[in-house]
Amino acid sequence: MDVIQIKEKQFKTFIPEADILKEVERVASEINRDLADANPLFISVLNGSFMFTADLMKRLTIPCEISFVKLASYEGMSSSGKIKELVGLGEDIAGRTVVIVEDIVDTGLTMQRLLETLRARNPKEIRIATLLVKPDKLKVDLDIPYVAMRIPNDFIVGYGLDYEGFGRNYRDIYSVVE
Ligand code: 5GP
C-alpha cells in the first residue's frame, strides 16, 4: 500500500487503477448496450471527471458526441451544496439523449442542480454516469443508472479527484488517513 502526502494530509491507496478500470469497462459495456441507437451526447463535468471520461470514452463503440462543462461546488473537504453557473455547454441538447459524466456523487445536491439546469433545455432524456457514489451521504433521490463504484464516506483523491487542487494526477484512488 502506498501512502502519499498532499499539503498537510496523508492519503493511502484505496482503489488501485486495475480495479477502477475493470469497473469503467463494465459501465462502458452497459452504455454500449443501452444507448447503441440513441446517438448520445456525453457531458463531462470538469475538472474531476477528466480521467474517468477519457477511460470511459475509449471503451465506447457507439456513435456519440462529447462536450465538457464546468461548475464548482466544493471547497476543502466538505461539500457546500452550492453550485456555480454551468459554463461551456455550446450544444443544443433539445430532443437529445444526454449522459452526464461525473466523478463523484456525494450529497447529490450538485447533480440535482445540474439536472434542473439541463432539463430546462428540453433534452429527450438525461442519464447519469458516475465514477463514484457515497450512498450513505446522499440527501436527494437520484436515479443513477451507471455507477462504477460505491464507496464509504471517506474523503478521496486521485484518478482526477483533488485535495485543494492537488492529487488529480495519480492513477489510483487514495483515501484520507485521519
Ligand atoms: P455533492 O454536491 O454531491 O455533495 O458533491 C459533489 C462534488 O463534491 C463532486 O463533484 C466532487 O467535486 C466533490 N466531492 C465529493 N466528495 C469528494 C471526495 O471524497 N473527494 C474529492 N476530491 N471531491 C469530492
Side-chain angles (χ1 to χ4, degrees):
M1 190 182 53
D2 242 18
V3 175
I4 56 168
Q5 177 94 26
I6 301 177
K7 303 212 165 174
E8 78 291 0
K9 298 210 173 290
Q10 288 198 319
F11 295 84
K12 61 177 192 300
T13 313
F14 177 46
I15 312 172
E17 183 186 30
D19 295 356
I20 301 170
L21 292 179
K22 213 165 68 193
E23 299 307 323
V24 173
E25 185 89 48
R26 174 185 52 77
V27 168
S29 46
E30 290 167 5
I31 293 175
N32 284 329
R33 179 197 63 201
D34 296 349
L35 300 180
D37 303 315
N39 188 27
L41 170 66
F42 289 84
I43 297 183
S44 169
V45 186
L46 296 173
N47 294 326
S49 70
F50 77 93
M51 229 180 251
F52 172 47
T53 301
D55 283 332
L56 181 68
M57 294 304 291
K58 283 186 270 184
R59 291 166 174 79
L60 295 180
T61 52
I62 57 173
C64 61
E65 290 177 87
I66 180 147
S67 187
F68 296 87
V69 299
K70 210 161 177 178
L71 40 84
S73 69
Y74 211 79
E75 274 167 23
M77 289 182 53
S78 74
S79 176
S80 66
K82 287 188 206 123
I83 191 171
K84 288 189 191 162
E85 208 185 336
L86 177 68
V87 193
L89 188 61
E91 283 78 2
D92 179 10
I93 65 169
R96 294 207 59 179
T97 296
V98 165
V99 182
I100 299 173
V101 183
E102 181 58 294
D103 54 355
I104 182 164
V105 175
D106 187 18
T107 62
L109 293 171
T110 306
M111 185 56 76
Q112 194 181 43
R113 286 295 314 275
L114 181 57
L115 283 170
E116 283 165 16
T117 311
L118 292 175
R119 276 188 193 126
R121 301 183 186 208
N122 300 315
K124 179 177 173 202
E125 183 189 9
I126 306 177
R127 297 191 185 204
I128 302 169
T130 186
L131 176 70
L132 301 159
V133 177
K134 293 180 181 170
D136 295 341
K137 293 265 297 270
L138 261 180
K139 284 192 189 158
V140 290
D141 193 22
L142 285 176
D143 175 28
I144 312 183
Y146 307 114
V147 178
M149 293 165 293
R150 292 176 174 78
I151 59 167
N153 288 345
D154 312 320
F155 185 83
I156 53 121
V157 296
Y159 196 71
L161 288 111
D162 73 308
Y163 171 55
E164 297 192 351
F166 290 84
R168 295 192 195 276
N169 49 306
Y170 290 100
R171 292 165 168 265
D172 306 317
I173 291 175
Y174 294 77
S175 64
V176 71
V177 179
E178 299 293 356

